[in-house]
Amino acid sequence: MKKFINNVDDILVESLKGFATAHKDLVSLHLEPIFLTRKVPSMNKVALISGGGSGHEPLHTGYLGHGMLDAVCPGHVFTSPTPDQMLAAADKVNTEKGILFIVKNYAGDVMNFEMAAEMLPYEVATVLVTDDCAAGDVTAGRGVAGTIIVEKCVGSLAETGANLQACKALGDKVNQRTASMGVALSSCTVPAAGRPTFSLADNEVEMGVGIHGEAGHSRETLRSANEMAAEMLEHILSTLSPTANSEILVLVNGFGNTPLMELYLIYNSVTELLAAKGLKIARSLVGNYTTALDMAGASITLCLLDDEIKQHWDSAVHTPALRWD
Amino acid sequence: MKKFINNVDDILVESLKGFATAHKDLVSLHLEPIFLTRKVPSMNKVALISGGGSGHEPLHTGYLGHGMLDAVCPGHVFTSPTPDQMLAAADKVNTEKGILFIVKNYAGDVMNFEMAAEMLPYEVATVLVTDDCAAGDVTAGRGVAGTIIVEKCVGSLAETGANLQACKALGDKVNQRTASMGVALSSCTVPAAGRPTFSLADNEVEMGVGIHGEAGHSRETLRSANEMAAEMLEHILSTLSPTANSEILVLVNGFGNTPLMELYLIYNSVTELLAAKGLKIARSLVGNYTTALDMAGASITLCLLDDEIKQHWDSAVHTPALRWD
């Protein structure tokens, strides 16, 4: 294993210290237990808290700030955060409008956020993100890159002072209208393990891979970018069933070790494939937004827009990793 | 070789089409010859044109737009663009205020931009970027990640309507006050070659590597992030010779296959090492800004700030890869 590390046990805290120093205008780091909050809290809004295992940066810490998250609880690499982190974060950012947890659908994350919700004396709701459609049923999916669309839209609505029920309803709606599928060209290497999580032959890819290197839909032969994009889109479109002329948000997300050049090439494939189906790309985002450490590969996410989602996607956001006016 | 590719010969154009579609509010793509321009030209400013081999994305295309570049001429992967691209780009963006080429110090780039400058009927000046101090002499260095600091500052000054001489002078000054050094943990793979450019043993790193995988200062044993950062800083600081209490801009740049978690960990090392020397980090940037395809590794760049450079670094920029107000 070749990584920039001092001691494996220290990577989370050292990395978070670097992150918090680099973005000290936007975020604050709290230790014991570990959580991060936005620097300038809004006092009269639903508090949005997310979190999960580390190694997916910029998810979630990079989305702290105006228009997205109020607090983030990072676990160790690919390891769920614990309830004490969520309780401390909730105490720090709670307002009278309640707390919304945004949780990716993994057993450990779900269990620990549920436990925290039960222990908290505040009103708490949860949006469960399930956008990975590799298993064929979006409601049972893992939470992957579509998470940032949920966080962006709910973050926008929360800034308007909307109540907890409205924020949860929008999050659930965005999740239902969002589907993702990924493909890995290589494994990632978890620092504590010290070796690749899985191995692929020189001509193999893992189609439908998860963002921790979980097995996917099938192990397949490496094909052209167009063919792999077409296969991913087929699963996504059969999950979402867009009508003709549907307006779509496309996110082409890199897992870490796929150059931007290739991500834009995939996006070019997606534009041609969707145009051939009469579907309109109304918004797009291309880059490394939900990574899996150093895995080579990419995912495609589609979100079926409506006026409400489009408005909240477009609204101002000011975070380390996503910023527009 | 496992990459998202249709045909190796098509990757540049397919990738640029995807890029231009994803950022159609900011950039325009021109083919035959290939160049890109910012969407909304400013009519009364020095036109800034850069370019070089592809594979370093977001450099340079990602820096097209308000506050940075007016046109970019991308060559094929790790291959210099040709004078016809520069001539066509210059014709498109020229104003009566003249043209400034920003050129990374590689023989092919230098020769082709010089040839274009001689052929153009407009007033042309050139800033040569030489920030790589791995060879020990900043004036002879290759142009690496420091290029974006030059492009950002000169881009800012050009927006104010400053003349060509003033823009060149600022570019030269920023270059003189900027030094970089990188280390590779793995090779990159050029698509047309189909195999890694070089090989490293499991415990080896290439210290002082260039952004095309050129040999560096020395092949060394993998050490801790702190030790490698300290070695890079030693070369950089001996090149720049900052005085005590100097204000510094720090750029920790990933080469492609190093997770953001590790880049922030390196930044944490840099903050501690510079603090111990009494040097003040006044500005910072951490992320993948000048890549080398899928090479694992990172570079550290320091720029000695003064009030003028700080002002131009801070000014509004609105490009695909760098955006603030």
Side-chain angles (χ1 to χ4, degrees):
Chain A
M1 176 179 65
K2 293 166 93 170
K3 290 181 182 286
F4 291 97
I5 283 179
N6 293 307
N7 299 295
V8 169
D9 290 345
D10 298 332
I11 60 173
L12 179 61
V13 168
E14 288 182 1
S15 174
L16 289 174
K17 281 183 176 172
F19 172 78
T21 308
H23 302 288
K24 59 179 182 290
D25 54 327
L26 292 173
V27 306
S28 299
L29 173 63
H30 310 264
L31 299 170
E32 299 177 22
I34 294 171
F35 65 100
L36 298 96
T37 51
R38 59 201 274 184
K39 193 79 176 192
V40 183
S42 296
M43 289 319 295
N44 190 32
K45 69 183 285 289
V46 171
L48 267 54
I49 303 180
S50 192
S54 295
H56 306 300
E57 290 70 24
L59 189 78
H60 297 271
T61 48
Y63 306 120
L64 274 165
H66 178 81
M68 284 186 87
L69 301 175
D70 296 281
V72 167
C73 305
H76 283 277
V77 173
F78 293 179
T79 303
S80 297
T82 47
D84 61 316
Q85 295 175 261
M86 300 150 196
L87 298 177
D91 278 341
K92 192 80 182 173
V93 299
N94 180 55
T95 75
E96 62 196 25
K97 304 205 80 156
I99 286 169
L100 186 67
F101 287 156
I102 300 180
V103 182
K104 302 195 300 302
N105 189 23
Y106 298 98
D109 290 359
V110 171
M111 186 179 70
N112 288 352
F113 273 102
E114 266 178 12
M115 205 178 300
E118 285 167 15
M119 294 167 76
L120 280 169
Y122 318 122
E123 197 186 2
V124 180
T126 297
V127 172
L128 194 65
V129 185
T130 61
D131 59 310
D132 189 347
C133 68
D137 179 358
V138 74
T139 59
R142 302 167 290 210
V144 290
T147 307
I148 74 164
I149 306 175
V150 174
E151 292 180 353
K152 172 70 185 76
C153 293
V154 179
S156 166
L157 179 62
E159 294 291 346
T160 68
N163 68 25
L164 185 60
Q165 288 66 35
C167 289
K168 173 174 167 53
L170 178 64
D172 288 341
K173 180 172 93 167
V174 173
N175 180 55
Q176 283 300 317
R177 297 170 71 100
T178 299
S180 302
M181 188 154 167
V183 61
L185 307 196
S186 81
S187 176
C188 49
T189 298
V190 177
R195 57 180 178 281
T197 306
F198 59 95
S199 63
L200 287 169
D202 282 350
N203 65 342
E204 274 183 339
V205 302
E206 186 71 40
M207 179 62 74
V209 72
I211 56 173
H212 309 89
E214 305 96 325
H217 179 262
S218 52
R219 189 153 293 193
E220 301 182 2
T221 301
L222 177 70
R223 286 167 297 152
S224 72
N226 282 344
E227 289 171 296
M228 291 192 288
E231 178 173 351
M232 289 190 274
L233 282 178
E234 190 184 315
H235 284 272
I236 293 167
L237 292 172
S238 78
T239 303
L240 293 178
S241 303
T243 54
N245 298 313
S246 289
E247 284 201 322
I248 290 178
L249 185 164
V250 174
L251 165 59
V252 173
N253 173 63
F255 286 143
N257 186 17
T258 286
L260 214 42
M261 240 189 131
E262 295 175 44
L263 299 181
Y264 282 117
L265 189 149
I266 295 168
Y267 180 68
N268 187 55
S269 298
V270 171
T271 62
E272 292 174 358
L273 291 160
L274 292 184
K277 292 178 188 295
L279 296 167
K280 185 185 167 200
I281 301 180
R283 299 291 184 273
S284 65
L285 193 66
V286 180
N288 296 295
Y289 291 100
T290 301
T291 61
L293 291 170
D294 52 357
M295 187 157 78
S299 60
I300 299 171
T301 299
L302 302 191
C303 172
L304 296 185
L305 295 170
D306 63 11
D307 288 345
E308 184 187 25
I309 298 175
K310 205 157 51 174
Q311 171 203 331
H312 289 301
W313 178 258
D314 288 344
S315 69
V317 61
H318 195 168
T319 69
L322 217 57
R323 183 166 175 166
W324 56 70
D325 295 293
Chain B
M1 177 180 63
K2 294 168 92 171
K3 290 179 182 288
F4 291 97
I5 282 179
N6 293 306
N7 300 297
V8 168
D9 290 346
D10 298 332
I11 59 173
L12 179 60
V13 168
E14 288 182 2
S15 174
L16 289 175
K17 282 183 176 173
F19 172 78
T21 307
H23 302 288
K24 58 180 183 289
D25 55 327
L26 292 173
V27 306
S28 300
L29 173 63
H30 310 264
L31 299 170
E32 298 176 23
I34 294 171
F35 65 99
L36 299 96
T37 51
R38 59 201 273 183
K39 192 77 175 193
V40 183
S42 296
M43 289 319 295
N44 190 32
K45 69 184 282 293
V46 171
L48 267 52
I49 303 180
S50 192
S54 295
H56 305 299
E57 289 71 22
L59 188 78
H60 297 271
T61 49
Y63 306 120
L64 275 165
H66 178 80
M68 285 185 86
L69 302 175
D70 295 281
V72 167
C73 304
H76 283 277
V77 173
F78 293 178
T79 303
S80 296
T82 48
D84 60 316
Q85 295 174 260
M86 299 149 196
L87 297 176
D91 279 341
K92 192 78 181 177
V93 299
N94 181 54
T95 74
E96 61 196 27
K97 303 207 80 156
I99 286 169
L100 186 67
F101 287 156
I102 300 180
V103 182
K104 301 194 301 302
N105 189 25
Y106 299 98
D109 290 359
V110 170
M111 186 178 70
N112 288 352
F113 273 102
E114 265 179 11
M115 205 178 300
E118 284 167 15
M119 294 168 75
L120 281 169
Y122 319 123
E123 196 185 2
V124 180
T126 298
V127 172
L128 194 64
V129 185
T130 61
D131 58 310
D132 189 348
C133 68
D137 178 358
V138 74
T139 60
R142 303 166 290 209
V144 291
T147 308
I148 74 164
I149 305 175
V150 174
E151 293 180 352
K152 172 69 185 76
C153 292
V154 180
S156 165
L157 179 62
E159 295 290 347
T160 68
N163 68 25
L164 185 60
Q165 288 66 35
C167 289
K168 174 172 166 53
L170 178 63
D172 288 341
K173 180 172 93 168
V174 173
N175 180 56
Q176 283 300 318
R177 297 170 72 101
T178 300
S180 302
M181 189 154 167
V183 60
L185 307 196
S186 80
S187 176
C188 50
T189 298
V190 177
R195 57 180 178 281
T197 306
F198 60 95
S199 63
L200 288 169
D202 282 351
N203 66 342
E204 274 183 338
V205 303
E206 185 71 39
M207 180 60 75
V209 71
I211 57 173
H212 310 89
E214 305 95 324
H217 179 262
S218 52
R219 188 153 294 194
E220 301 182 1
T221 302
L222 177 70
R223 285 166 296 152
S224 72
N226 282 344
E227 288 170 297
M228 292 192 288
E231 179 173 350
M232 290 191 273
L233 282 177
E234 190 184 316
H235 284 272
I236 293 167
L237 292 172
S238 77
T239 302
L240 293 179
S241 303
T243 53
N245 298 313
S246 289
E247 284 201 322
I248 290 178
L249 185 164
V250 174
L251 165 59
V252 173
N253 173 63
F255 286 144
N257 186 18
T258 287
L260 214 42
M261 239 190 131
E262 294 174 46
L263 298 181
Y264 282 117
L265 188 148
I266 295 168
Y267 181 67
N268 187 56
S269 298
V270 172
T271 62
E272 292 173 359
L273 291 160
L274 291 184
K277 290 178 188 294
L279 296 166
K280 186 188 169 198
I281 301 180
R283 299 290 184 275
S284 65
L285 192 66
V286 181
N288 296 294
Y289 291 99
T290 301
T291 62
L293 291 169
D294 52 357
M295 186 156 80
S299 60
I300 299 171
T301 299
L302 302 191
C303 172
L304 296 186
L305 295 169
D306 63 11
D307 288 345
E308 184 186 26
I309 298 175
K310 205 157 52 174
Q311 171 203 332
H312 290 300
W313 178 257
D314 288 345
S315 69
V317 60
H318 194 168
T319 69
L322 217 56
R323 184 167 175 166
W324 57 70
D325 295 293

